[in-house]
Amino acid sequence: AWVKLGSCNVDSDCGDRQLCRQSYCYEQRLLIYSHFNGIYEEWDRHHGRPRYVERNKEDGSPFLETVPAEIIYCENLESWVFRHPNIRTSLDELEENACSWLLKSPQTESFDLIELGESFWNVWVGQIEREYPIFVGCNDCYDNAGCNHHGICNSELQRCECYDSHFGIHCEFQRPCEVIRSEKDRNTTMHLLHDDEDDWAHFVEVYGRPKYISENMSGIPHGVMRLAEPDTDDKYYGVTYNDTALTEAKKLTPHRHHEDKFFEDDDFFQIHLDKPNFKELLMNYTFVLKYTGRRWYGQIKSLGVTSLSFNEAEFHGFWSRTFSGVGVDDNSTVIVSEPTAASSPVGIDFFEMRRRNKAFENGIYDYDYSPFGVLIPLTGYKGSGYFHCN
C-alpha cells in the first residue's frame, strides 16, 4: 500500500523509493495488518452507525501524536471497512478503493459490528484477497467474572483492574518472568523492562505484552541465533541443516556465504557489516524483544532503551517501521516468532530471518519469498520454544 508521509513539491523533495503526489511524499510499504491489532473505541457516528477509532498499544488510551486507523460503515459498499487516512491502495484517485478500504466485511445492514465478530473479510494486499479471518470482541467488563476473578471490574470505567499476579485486558495472563534465557545459550538472558510509573502492570507493555531487553551487548548476537560461532576471519560459519537430530555426519563443513543452495549461507550480518552505521551499532547495543500485534520481534537497538526513553503510549508496529519490508530500517530485526497471542515469548517458536529486505534485492540472491523472507527455525522440534524462564 502507499503511505502518505511529509509534504513536497517534486519527487526530489522525498526520500529514496518515494514519490511526490498531490503535494505529499508517498512510499510503498509492506502492510502488516497485525500491527493494527488492539483496542478500538466507539468515538462518534458515521452515517448513523458507530465509528471505531484505534487506541494506543499501551493501555488503550487515545493516541496523542500517532494518527489512528478507524473502522466505519461504508454505505457505497454496504459493508464495514477498516481504513487509515494516511494509507492508500492507489495513487490514482480513480483506482482507489471505495471508502479507501483496506479490509472489507461481507455486505450487511447491521448497526452492530460485534455481530461480525468472527467472520471472513476481503483484504487488500496489492490485490483483493478473500476469506481473511477477522475477530472483533467486546472489551468491557461488567463484574469480576469478566476479569477472570484475577482482578476487580471498575464499573465506572468498565475496565479490569488486575491483581499484581495477573495482567491483560481481562486479567487473563499471569505475570511474566523477570528473566528469560535462550534455548541455545543459558548465558544469554533478557530481563523485563520495568515501568515504575505504570499504575496497572508495573512493566512496559506494547500490544498488551511485556518488553524484554539485554543491555550492553556487542558483536553478532550468536546467543539468540541458530548459527555457530564464526571463525577468526568472520567469513566462515559452521552451518547445520534443520534436522531434528544433528549428528557430526550431518554437519556442514565451514564454508563461504556464496552458495545459493543453502538459505543459511545468506547471512544477515554478512550483508550489512560493510555499512559504517551498522558496524558502529554492533560495538555496543541493546537487544530488544517486543510484541507487535501477532509476532514477537527480536531487534538490535541503540543503547539507552529504558521505560523513560521508550514512548510506549505512541509506539505502533507500522508507524514505528518495525518491519516495512522496503528499506534498510528493517536491518535491526534479527529474529521473529511464529504467529501467536501468547502473553510472553516463553515457549514460543522463533525463526532467524533471511532474504527479506528488498533494499538488497539486486544482489546475488533471490528475494522472491514471503514478506518475512526465508524463516530458519531456531529449534529442532516444533513447539519446543526458544525462550524459557531463567
Side-chain angles (χ1 to χ4, degrees):
W2 290 96
V3 177
K4 184 169 75 172
L5 304 172
S7 59
C8 63
N9 293 313
V10 293
D11 286 347
S12 59
D13 293 337
C14 304
D16 187 32
R17 295 172 175 259
Q18 297 175 6
L19 298 175
C20 182
R21 296 292 186 273
Q22 293 90 44
S23 300
Y24 286 97
C25 294
Y26 283 88
E27 175 183 72
Q28 199 164 30
R29 194 184 300 180
L30 178 65
L31 183 55
I32 301 178
Y33 285 96
S34 57
H35 289 169
F36 293 89
N37 285 352
I39 295 174
Y40 286 71
E41 183 180 5
E42 181 180 344
W43 188 245
D44 53 22
R45 312 293 284 187
H46 180 81
H47 294 305
R49 288 175 170 81
R51 180 172 75 101
Y52 296 92
V53 177
E54 184 183 22
R55 292 311 185 212
N56 76 30
K57 309 307 177 186
E58 177 194 15
D59 58 9
S61 300
F63 282 116
L64 298 180
E65 301 173 8
T66 304
V67 178
E70 63 181 10
I71 302 174
I72 64 167
Y73 185 81
C74 177
E75 288 191 325
N76 292 342
L77 298 172
E78 297 182 346
S79 299
W80 290 87
V81 301
F82 165 85
R83 69 180 189 179
H84 193 284
N86 290 339
I87 300 178
R88 298 177 57 176
T89 57
S90 174
L91 295 182
D92 186 337
E93 294 183 359
L94 298 178
E95 296 181 0
E96 174 79 356
N97 287 352
C99 295
S100 298
W101 71 267
L102 300 170
L103 292 167
K104 181 180 67 170
S105 78
Q107 286 191 334
T108 179
E109 295 181 354
S110 176
F111 282 71
D112 188 358
L113 179 61
I114 303 301
E115 290 184 3
L116 301 170
E118 292 187 61
S119 56
F120 293 92
W121 292 32
N122 288 349
V123 58
W124 178 260
V125 291
Q127 60 186 17
I128 299 175
E129 289 192 3
R130 307 182 190 280
E131 301 297 308
Y132 187 80
I134 295 292
F135 173 78
V136 181
C138 183
N139 279 342
D140 295 342
C141 70
Y142 300 98
D143 53 35
N144 292 346
C147 304
N148 288 288
H149 298 290
H150 297 310
I152 298 174
C153 178
N154 184 319
S155 57
E156 182 178 349
L157 299 176
Q158 293 185 329
R159 170 177 175 165
C160 291
E161 298 175 357
C162 303
Y163 302 141
D164 288 342
S165 59
H166 285 75
F167 72 103
I169 294 173
H170 299 290
C171 307
E172 68 271 36
F173 300 137
Q174 288 187 326
R175 184 176 177 84
C177 305
E178 287 289 329
V179 180
I180 62 175
R181 58 174 173 78
S182 80
E183 175 75 13
K184 179 179 176 181
D185 181 8
R186 288 178 173 270
N187 294 319
T188 299
T189 60
M190 309 185 72
H191 65 84
L192 191 65
L193 185 58
H194 287 273
D195 186 356
D196 294 332
E197 297 183 358
D198 190 330
D199 295 330
W200 299 94
H202 307 299
F203 54 83
V204 171
E205 288 184 272
V206 285
Y207 291 86
R209 306 297 191 277
K211 182 175 181 176
Y212 287 91
I213 65 171
S214 182
E215 301 166 292
N216 297 313
M217 295 184 68
S218 62
I220 299 174
H222 297 287
V224 294
M225 298 168 63
R226 183 179 178 85
L227 297 184
E229 296 285 345
D231 283 346
T232 54
D233 65 0
D234 241 352
K235 293 183 180 179
Y236 296 88
Y237 288 77
V239 181
T240 60
Y241 288 109
N242 299 326
D243 294 66
T244 55
L246 298 175
T247 64
E248 287 298 322
K250 289 183 177 179
K251 287 186 177 180
L252 299 173
T253 57
H255 55 288
R256 291 187 181 275
H257 290 246
H258 297 291
E259 287 289 333
D260 283 326
K261 184 177 178 182
F262 304 111
F263 290 126
E264 288 94 332
D265 294 350
D266 184 13
D267 183 68
F268 172 79
F269 294 94
Q270 184 72 11
I271 294 176
H272 305 304
L273 275 177
D274 61 345
K275 306 294 186 295
N277 291 341
F278 192 76
K279 290 177 68 174
E280 182 178 355
L281 175 63
L282 284 187
M283 295 177 64
N284 196 358
Y285 61 88
T286 298
F287 194 85
V288 176
L289 200 59
K290 64 173 179 279
Y291 193 64
T292 59
R294 195 163 181 246
R295 294 179 187 263
W296 293 84
Y297 286 14
Q299 300 180 309
I300 294 173
K301 294 292 186 180
S302 300
L303 291 177
V305 178
T306 67
S307 61
L308 296 178
S309 67
F310 177 69
N311 188 357
E312 56 188 321
E314 293 299 320
F315 174 80
H316 192 288
F318 186 80
W319 299 111
S320 299
R321 300 179 69 93
T322 306
F323 189 80
S324 67
V326 296
V328 294
D329 53 290
D330 293 331
N331 293 353
S332 65
T333 304
V334 179
I335 59 176
V336 64
S337 79
E338 63 182 338
T340 179
S343 62
S344 84
V346 172
I348 304 302
D349 290 345
F350 274 77
F351 305 86
E352 195 173 328
M353 304 170 69
R354 298 296 174 86
R355 305 191 189 181
R356 58 358 181 342
N357 197 315
K358 290 189 177 299
F360 300 93
E361 62 187 347
N362 295 323
I364 64 174
Y365 296 109
D366 184 5
Y367 281 81
D368 188 18
Y369 300 105
S370 71
F372 289 102
V374 179
L375 298 181
I376 309 296
L378 292 180
T379 53
Y381 294 92
K382 182 176 176 58
S384 59
Y386 192 63
F387 292 98
H388 306 281
C389 292
N390 198 31

